[in-house]
Amino acid sequence: MVDATNLQTPHGDRTETESLRQALGEVRREAQQEVARINRRLRERSAVEGGAASAAEQLALRQELDSLQRTLGAKEQALDAITEECRRLEDVLEDQHLVFDGLRKEVERRDLSLTAAQEEVSRLRQALLDLQGQGSEPGLLEPAPPRGLSAEPPRIRPRAVGVGLWPLLLLPALVVLVLIVWLRADRPRAPATSDIATSESSGTETATDGGALPPDSESTAEPLEPSSVSVPTQRDRLRNGGFGPTLARLPGGRFLMGRNLTVASDFGPAREVEIAPFLMGVYEVTFEDYDRFARAVGRGFAKDFGWGRGNRPVVGVSWDDARAYTAWLSRETGRSYRLPSEAEWEYAARAGGRGSYWWGFGLEPNRAVCFDCGSAWDNRATAPVGSFNPSPFGLHDTAGNVMEWVADCYQSGYEGAPSDGRARTDGPCTDRVARGGAFNKPSASMRTFVRARFVPGTRLDMLGFRVARDL
């Protein structure tokens, strides 16, 4: 069996990387402080120059100002160089994550194949031993009578025929079976199907994929394969007939939200957030869902941009439109529907993983639609919801397809943000947050920690939403 511990990132490498990041950050802060100090001194000298008593003093001050300005230019160039080096370091670290993630997955796949082959060999070896044991039992061959006493040939019990040849006959079969097990283990498994049951009395349609839900106490450390996804889903009945969106019951847990970078970013500092169990839309809200709401309340239909409606994600809706839809769902079902908070959205999109995407650190085929994802819809149009495999939380399209409104007011970074999963509503709220990338956005924009912001009234062909619901 392959020893996966050999693929763990060495502690020394992690320490060296962190030390380099801290050193670069410290140099950058010192350069910024020096630039600010020189600027203050320039302002002070400029004020003094006008009041200088003599031409000699004015000349000396001008010369000092020129020197300070040259120093400032050099410091700013050094600061730019340090900032660029910080960005390069982050790119290198991301590339290393990609390589390591690929190696880890390959080791896991080979390890599973080898384990299955070993189990099959053990089973066949035991079968051979059993057969050999049966061949050595007494009485299987009856001794022939002494010559001349009887003309009857020796009797052979049927079970004894060819017993000694069984091991030789099974050896080729053993080799073939081991090869078959190995090859089958290398093939990707198809996603599990769901058995659906409807409860008329409760007004809720439930569906459960076979298996167990990840524990409620804390999210899993590493993502599961979609074929092993086991997340209960349900749909609430509407008063006017039909059902609301399909919801997945997500476990509560703690996770590290955001990402720390050497260069100041919009998605840091990373911090631990506690999420209570809640329900999340399995799919982005579709035109079919939204059109039912629009007809019921007499609201205008959202524009489909010529791509079709039905099970495509609704786009061209503002933040207020999305909030109005969740309020209508709450009235229709008697349940508390809302937009997810930004923390809930990232927790759901990560699905227990620690990579840039729920499946790992790099792009993989048949995972999402974006500008450069390699799908049939890239940079052309939205894809029908559910066109790609679900995450380990049973959610579709948390990466790509359309950006999704969340409940939070936008503020740069996470300083002062709630740590209990609530939406951030302090500040002027002139912008709202959207997450998840889109069919016409680069893959980097659909990483789990990346944020976008829009004025609440924005309606774009790549901006939609999904719903959340309290338990």
Side-chain angles (χ1 to χ4, degrees):
M1 189 178 297
V2 179
D3 184 6
T5 58
N6 293 331
L7 289 181
Q8 299 298 323
T9 305
H11 178 72
D13 290 350
R14 289 199 301 269
T15 303
E16 182 179 357
T17 300
E18 186 61 30
S19 299
L20 180 57
R21 179 187 281 115
Q22 291 176 356
L24 283 173
E26 185 62 30
V27 171
R28 188 171 183 275
R29 283 190 294 272
E30 291 176 357
Q32 287 176 321
Q33 292 171 359
E34 182 67 13
V35 168
R37 186 188 67 79
I38 293 174
N39 272 318
R40 286 195 303 271
R41 194 172 176 187
L42 277 170
R43 288 193 296 269
E44 292 169 358
R45 291 302 184 187
S46 296
V48 172
E49 181 185 7
S54 66
E57 290 177 348
Q58 289 184 358
L59 179 61
L61 284 172
R62 287 196 192 97
Q63 290 175 345
E64 185 177 359
L65 283 173
D66 291 339
S67 175
L68 285 173
Q69 286 172 344
R70 287 193 297 271
T71 303
L72 177 61
K75 292 291 185 181
E76 287 177 338
Q77 289 180 358
L79 180 59
D80 291 341
I82 293 171
T83 301
E84 186 61 32
E85 179 63 17
C86 290
R87 292 197 179 100
R88 189 193 66 79
L89 174 62
E90 296 296 343
D91 290 340
V92 170
L93 291 175
E94 186 74 10
D95 291 342
Q96 290 176 349
H97 280 308
L98 284 171
V99 173
F100 180 76
D101 192 54
L103 288 173
R104 180 183 58 80
K105 289 183 177 180
E106 179 65 18
V107 167
E108 290 174 353
R109 186 177 65 84
R110 293 289 181 182
D111 198 37
L112 287 173
S113 301
L114 183 58
T115 300
Q118 288 175 336
E119 291 174 353
E120 185 66 15
V121 168
S122 298
R123 187 186 68 79
L124 292 173
R125 182 181 292 115
Q126 185 60 45
L128 284 173
L129 293 175
D130 293 342
L131 288 171
Q132 289 173 347
Q134 292 174 5
S136 62
E137 290 179 6
L140 290 178
L141 289 174
E142 293 186 0
R147 183 177 298 177
L149 295 181
S150 173
E152 183 181 353
R155 291 179 297 168
I156 302 176
R157 292 185 182 179
R159 190 177 60 168
V161 175
V163 168
L165 296 177
W166 272 107
L168 294 177
L169 294 175
L170 283 176
L171 283 176
L174 173 62
V175 174
V176 172
L177 283 173
V178 170
L179 289 175
I180 290 174
V181 170
W182 182 279
L183 291 175
R184 289 184 64 186
D186 283 348
R187 294 179 183 174
R189 294 173 293 179
T193 56
S194 299
D195 298 325
I196 297 178
T198 303
S199 173
E200 297 292 344
S201 59
S202 64
T204 300
E205 180 186 82
T206 62
T208 305
D209 294 335
L213 187 67
D216 287 349
S217 60
E218 190 169 356
S219 61
T220 54
E222 293 294 336
L224 307 172
E225 284 301 316
S227 57
S228 61
V229 170
S230 174
V231 179
T233 61
Q234 66 184 65
R235 301 175 70 191
D236 294 325
R237 188 180 291 278
L238 306 176
R239 287 186 307 176
N240 62 358
F243 290 93
T246 303
L247 305 171
R249 183 183 292 267
L250 302 190
R254 295 182 300 276
F255 82 110
L256 195 66
M257 181 178 180
R259 184 174 178 186
N260 290 322
L261 294 179
T262 308
V263 182
S265 68
D266 197 32
F267 29 83
R271 80 252 196 261
E272 191 174 79
V273 178
E274 181 80 23
I275 301 293
F278 70 107
L279 297 171
M280 184 83 156
V282 171
Y283 308 105
E284 293 156 331
V285 172
T286 64
F287 274 102
E288 181 181 2
D289 295 325
Y290 192 83
D291 288 350
R292 182 185 295 115
F293 150 72
R295 284 191 295 269
V297 301
R299 199 181 189 93
F301 291 102
K303 186 178 179 181
D304 64 13
F305 298 91
W307 303 329
R309 306 179 81 81
N311 67 340
R312 287 183 183 269
V314 67
V315 291
V317 289
S318 67
W319 186 85
D320 294 318
D321 293 334
R323 280 289 302 274
Y325 175 77
T326 61
W328 174 78
L329 274 182
S330 299
R331 294 193 302 270
E332 285 290 311
T333 62
R335 305 287 187 176
S336 180
Y337 279 84
R338 53 185 173 79
L339 291 176
S341 70
E342 187 175 9
E344 287 175 330
W345 191 97
E346 185 169 327
Y347 172 75
R350 286 184 179 274
R354 291 176 288 187
S356 299
Y357 312 96
W358 63 257
W359 58 82
F361 286 95
L363 285 182
E364 293 183 3
N366 199 35
R367 293 294 197 188
V369 52
C370 65
F371 180 85
D372 55 341
C373 284
S375 78
W377 297 278
D378 279 13
N379 202 32
R380 291 178 52 246
T382 60
V385 298
S387 295
F388 303 93
N389 288 335
S391 75
F393 277 179
L395 307 180
H396 293 263
D397 301 317
T398 51
N401 215 13
V402 298
M403 280 191 176
E404 302 173 13
W405 288 112
V406 295
D408 296 57
C409 301
Y410 171 80
Q411 290 199 37
S412 178
Y414 292 133
E415 291 289 350
S419 60
D420 58 0
R422 290 179 294 114
R424 187 170 195 173
T425 56
D426 58 321
C429 285
T430 54
D431 293 330
R432 294 284 177 173
V433 180
R435 290 296 209 105
F439 72 94
N440 58 354
K441 297 295 181 183
S443 55
S445 69
M446 66 181 195
R447 291 175 293 177
T448 53
F449 52 84
V450 174
R451 314 168 71 206
R453 61 172 178 167
F454 299 96
V455 175
T458 303
R459 292 183 174 92
L460 298 173
D461 64 354
M462 38 67 69
L463 188 55
F465 67 102
R466 78 174 68 215
V467 299
R469 204 207 83 181
D470 296 328
L471 293 178

